Amino acid sequence: SHPARPIDLSNFLDELADRFADKLASRGVSLKATITGGSPELIASPYVLQLALDNLVDNAIKFSPSGSE
């Protein structure tokens, strides 16, 4: 079971970018996430959210041409 709990979205996205930093650099692709108006709190399973976003970002890197943002 992967229970939901409050997640600081800003920190979560920073950690996501850190996990993919080497892969992004090797492909010449940049990742940008901008949150305005403060960092919203999200109630979710960190494990499930990480799996979903990691898959999304990994696919975006694979299918983006070099120089993409």
Side-chain angles (χ1 to χ4, degrees):
S1 172
H2 304 286
R5 66 173 178 81
I7 297 172
D8 181 305
L9 189 56
S10 181
N11 288 338
F12 195 87
L13 293 176
D14 286 344
E15 292 168 3
L16 175 78
D18 289 345
R19 279 195 305 280
F20 283 94
D22 290 340
K23 192 169 193 174
L24 288 160
S26 72
R27 296 272 299 154
V29 175
S30 64
L31 175 67
K32 293 183 181 182
T34 304
I35 298 174
T36 58
S39 181
E41 188 174 86
L42 179 67
I43 306 295
S45 164
Y47 175 78
V48 173
L49 183 60
Q50 180 177 332
L51 283 177
L53 290 180
D54 281 1
N55 188 30
L56 181 69
V57 171
D58 190 54
N59 283 333
I61 294 168
K62 285 179 191 174
F63 298 107
S64 294
S66 183
S68 296
E69 290 186 355

